[in-house]
Amino acid sequence: MTLPDGAELNCLVDDYRWPWADEVPVFMVHGFGRNARFWDCWVPRVADQRRVYRPEIRGCGDSPVPPEDFEFEAANLATDLLHVMDGLGLERVHWVGEHSGSLLGMMVALTDPSRVASLVLCDAPTHIPRRIHDDVYPMGEPSTAAALEKYGVAEWCAKTIDYRLDTRHADPRLVAWYVEQMGRTPVHVAAGLTNCFGRVSIADRIEEVAAPTLLLIGGASGWVAEQQIASASRLRNARTVVFDDYGHGANLLAPDRCVTEALTFWQSLDSS
């Protein structure tokens, strides 16, 4: 998909529906430094009932890499995704987001609510705590960018994986794949994105999100679970599903249950 500034974004389209099928489609947005492949295990069952679109933000997956001096801004990334929806002719979508993909979904729901029929949010923060941004991700270096430059994205991801994936429940092959996939993201893109999302907070506006929202919460995910539970109490129309013994990454660790919950949620919205 070509954006107004000439940049391009890759978008996977999983369309197995008859041409006249008119269900609200599903728009799946990956998290920081990840790509559309992180939704692979969701697609077969979801695409059986709805068209699925999986965009990859600038520099991630197979989207072209922006120049090293490119300034990442979350509001602009959200606008990019709206342009993708426009180019695909998608008036409204069920937005599925993981981590920063959830943040972008809530931002779009705030700025252009008519485009978001619902939100399904996994590991969905309202902001990144300073201790994570300033202390954990830099790994003893002056900044996260310096740590990424020193170790490379793959090794940095491996060293901080427990902040993204509950390795107690993960097959070692999943962990290795996760690190490999994030390692595809160039250092300057990963650094720009972590700085970009480190500056974002919608905590003060969460009550304004009107879209029906399903929060998929890893009950053992620490600060992310705390923020999601706080969001649930403030959102106008929220449902929660808590994966009690899971930390980060329930969307990867329990994809079948996540998909079952999402399909049930969308069907309830259709019937109402």
Side-chain angles (χ1 to χ4, degrees), residues 159-202:
K159 290 178 178 294
T160 59
I161 190 68
D162 288 329
Y163 290 90
R164 281 173 218 92
L165 185 67
D166 187 344
T167 54
R168 299 172 305 159
H169 296 288
D171 186 313
R173 293 170 296 184
L174 172 60
V175 177
W177 178 85
Y178 196 118
V179 170
E180 176 190 17
Q181 290 296 312
M182 275 199 69
R184 295 175 57 198
T185 306
V187 166
H188 76 279
V189 171
L193 288 171
T194 192
N195 288 332
C196 159
F197 289 113
R199 297 191 297 267
V200 173
S201 175
I202 63 164

Side-chain angles (χ1 to χ4, degrees), residues 36-269:
R37 294 289 310 280
F38 281 73
W39 298 112
D40 279 0
C41 285
W42 285 50
V43 168
R45 289 181 60 201
V46 176
D48 185 57
Q49 299 188 26
R50 298 172 188 271
R51 293 184 179 89
V52 175
Y53 301 87
R54 294 184 280 163
E56 296 177 316
I57 66 175
R58 298 183 189 230
C60 293
D62 291 322
S63 287
V65 178
E68 293 202 7
D69 61 353
F70 182 78
E71 291 288 336
F72 284 92
E73 293 291 343
N76 295 338
L77 296 177
T79 299
D80 285 350
L81 294 170
L82 281 169
H83 286 310
V84 171
M85 289 173 58
D86 291 340
L88 292 166
L90 306 178
E91 294 182 6
R92 298 175 76 233
V93 298
H94 291 305
W95 187 294
V96 180
E98 183 262 330
H99 209 264
S100 54
S102 294
L103 262 175
L104 292 171
M106 289 186 280
M107 292 173 68
V108 170
L110 285 167
T111 58
D112 203 343
S114 66
R115 309 298 296 275
V116 180
S118 74
L119 295 162
V120 174
L121 307 180
C122 316
D123 292 342
T126 55
H127 63 283
I128 309 299
R130 298 313 306 175
R131 68 176 182 84
I132 300 295
H133 187 265
D134 295 343
D135 299 331
V136 173
Y137 289 165
M139 296 176 53
E141 301 299 319
S143 65
T144 303
L148 287 162
E149 188 68 38
K150 177 178 179 177
Y151 294 106
V153 177
E155 187 175 351
W156 177 86
C157 174
K159 290 178 178 294
T160 59
I161 190 68
D162 288 329
Y163 290 90
R164 281 173 218 92
L165 185 67
D166 187 344
T167 54
R168 299 172 305 159
H169 296 288
D171 186 313
R173 293 170 296 184
L174 172 60
V175 177
W177 178 85
Y178 196 118
V179 170
E180 176 190 17
Q181 290 296 312
M182 275 199 69
R184 295 175 57 198
T185 306
V187 166
H188 76 279
V189 171
L193 288 171
T194 192
N195 288 332
C196 159
F197 289 113
R199 297 191 297 267
V200 173
S201 175
I202 63 164
D204 293 338
R205 299 191 62 193
I206 197 72
E207 290 93 347
E208 299 174 42
V209 176
T213 302
L214 174 64
L215 293 164
L216 301 176
I217 303 172
S221 62
W223 65 270
V224 177
E226 293 170 4
Q227 288 193 15
Q228 285 190 285
I229 291 168
S231 295
S233 67
R234 298 170 58 200
L235 285 162
R236 299 186 198 179
N237 187 358
R239 308 179 195 183
T240 62
V241 176
V242 179
F243 297 76
D244 289 319
D245 191 41
Y246 284 86
H248 303 289
N251 58 301
L252 293 170
L253 300 170
D256 286 343
R257 184 180 172 196
C258 288
V259 171
T260 295
E261 297 289 354
L263 291 173
T264 301
F265 175 59
W266 296 326
Q267 288 164 0
S268 72
L269 297 178

